[in-house]
Amino acid sequence: MSSMSFALLMLLLFGAIFSYESGQSGGPRIRPFGLFGWLASGNWPAKVGAGLLVIGIGALLRYVLLNVDVPPQLKLGGGVLLATLLGGAAAAIRARLELRAIHLALAGAAFGVAYLTAYSAYGFFGYINDVNALALLALVAVAAGLFAVASEAMSVAMLAMLGAYVAPKFAIGAPGPLAVYGYYLAASALTLAMVALRGWRALIHLSFLFTLAGALFFGWSGKFYQPEYYASMQPLLLALTAVHLAMPLFERNALPGGAPARVDIAYFLALPLVAAGLTLAIAPLIALQGALGLGALALLWAAAGALLSLQGRSGAARHWLMASLLGVAAVLCVAQDVPWTLLGLGLAVLALAIAPRMGWGAGMQELACALALCMAGMHIVESILQPAPAHAFLNVVALYRAIASALLAAGGILATRRAMGIGKTFNALALTWALLAFAAELSRLQIDCVPQLLYALLLLLLFGLALCGRAGTFVQMSCIVLSLALVASGWWAAADAAPAWTGALLLATALVLLAPAWRQRAASMNGGADIDAALALALLPFALMPWAAGAGRALGQASPFFGACIVVGGALLAALAARAWLAGSPNWDGALRGLHYLLAAGALLVVTLFHIERGVWPVAFELLTLAYLAGMTRFGRGASTMAGLALAVGAVLVLQAMLLRVLGPDRVMSAADIGHIHLPAIVSLMWALFGAAVAFWGAQTASRPVWSCGAVLLVAAAVKLVLFDFGSLGQLENILALIAAGLVFLAVAWRAPMPPSQPPAPDGAVPAAGN
């Protein structure tokens, strides 16, 4: 009876979702281009809520099967009978077009019950072995796929394949890698067939998420990517990669530009990166098995390029390029002490340089720039963490830093020549890293007081220029260069400064960087004449960082959050000065204020996600940063929706951090420690309820920005439930919280849909049909 009851609940779920999605009669049929497009099209909270309910009901069924004392034969028999009845009812109304929604709902529920019943016979009761279970589940998946293709119902295909990919989670035992990934290979082959027949691009992304990319997130599949499973996992990995590489080749529908095309580019890059990473993860020896695996992947991409070339289709060149990169990586696996991040930066800049010759559009060039900045950031972090060389300048670390600066400068030149706004970021990062690397080498010369004296000289020069009257071009450029040099040399000067030096230079830095803005208080802001003043204010918190850390050491404050509070105070001081002296500034209000806001929000995000610490100063930093974000959102000129989003998410994260400080373990924590408290899904439900309340408010006030704030929190709750709370679904309370969160999503979809972008129609006008 229990399995019957939960299967009936699944029937109601499928009926509600398909009725909702099929409610438009006579309207145009929109074809989504990918998994994100399918989720985001129409009323997406209904689809997310459906997914959460499917997972929650599956976990609830597992819990009941484990804990309710009913004979197994009765449980399985009830599942078979109910699946048959639902399938028969769906077939009976197949010809009635007006009942299409109910037809799809009944069929979807039948396949869902069949999945759970088939897997229960294997995972719960051990009635069938691995091979028979694989065959039975594959049979159910084939039946669901055939129905979806025949009915042109992508929703059925999506939900059916979601059930197929999630099924291994509900096994009580520990199936081996061959059983699980052999089953995944069969499910991916079915997905390939549906993609080839119907061109459902969303299935490609769903299959990739749960089979290959899922190994990075979901524990039940990731645990098999270990060297001890190399013999069985390497062939399966190559086969899965080949299937997912073939999917876009079989799906030939033309894509429009914009987001769908960028999603496909991201998939084209993510597939080889994930496949290569998993290949190296399972290789017992990187120099042997790792190189062979990467070589095999290179052959797969070369074969795909050859196939495209023979068919006269576009894309062959990029497949060959990817095959070449994989081949180079295979060769480099044999080498030792290779600077991978620096090599990746060089390859990304090279890709940017040859992009026009390869016929790549603006999207691919932007992607190459993003990859270059990512590799540069990884190189900088890696370089900072390396031990200090014995000799100044004449060392490998300094050479690598110089090469990285040159590559960033080259990327900046290329991006600037092509009128790409990101070129300024390249140039600034190249100059800053070069100055910091030079200062780091100078600091090893161990000359007493020279760093502090040079820093004080820079302060005097900048202060003198700020007081020289109306600024000309030369004065502006000099202020800009000196401000950048001040930030770069601050870490060198503050490293071993005496307490007296630290206190004096901390105060002097704040006053001197305020001086250019004070000079501009009565000047005209037309034409961006205040670029030096705006940049000085933007650099103020960064210039305070080393001296704030030094002040903490001098006062015996071991916590880095003491200095972080000073830095946030500097950002607040810069914002107040800009509001008073640079009101209407195109440079400050146009870009630099937003950079401050973004960095403050990012710092709060990192701390509340990855470093939750008890103490006065950590709590003070979080509250001060949140107050800063609230003030900038309330009083900043042209406050955007993104500012409201950051503030809402920041408030929830700070509340979650406070909850962890009260209920979490006695150590430095991260957001993942939510899973270590008794009811982690309850926290996710709190996120969902908070987001739903904001969404309801946005719907009532017809404010799309407010509704979007709530939607972001809802999505964050869903991501946390799936990625972080999945392992706690053995507890009834967490299962019920997951189901409740799904119901919250459905309530938002039903009662608080996204407000229309256009103003409401005047009285008497006939409203247009909507989704």
Side-chain angles (χ1 to χ4, degrees), residues 76-94:
L76 295 177
V80 172
L81 177 61
L82 184 57
T84 303
L85 292 176
L86 292 172
I93 61 173
R94 177 170 55 89

Side-chain angles (χ1 to χ4, degrees), residues 670-734:
S670 68
D673 285 304
I674 285 291
H676 295 163
I677 65 176
H678 182 57
L679 301 175
I682 299 297
V683 178
S684 303
L685 178 59
M686 292 172 56
W687 278 59
L689 289 172
F690 188 83
V694 176
F696 272 89
W697 179 29
Q700 292 296 320
T701 58
S703 172
R704 288 175 71 102
V706 174
W707 191 93
S708 298
C709 293
V712 168
L713 294 175
L714 285 169
V715 171
V719 170
K720 180 180 179 296
L721 282 165
V722 174
L723 297 186
F724 296 100
D725 300 341
F726 220 102
S728 66
L729 294 186
Q731 296 175 304
L732 181 60
E733 297 89 346
N734 288 316

Side-chain angles (χ1 to χ4, degrees), residues 246-284:
M247 287 181 186
L249 304 184
F250 280 88
E251 204 289 301
R252 302 188 179 189
N253 293 303
L255 273 178
R262 287 194 289 271
V263 170
D264 263 23
I265 292 174
Y267 175 80
F268 175 79
L269 293 176
L271 178 59
L273 287 175
V274 170
L278 294 176
T279 297
L280 296 176
I282 63 176

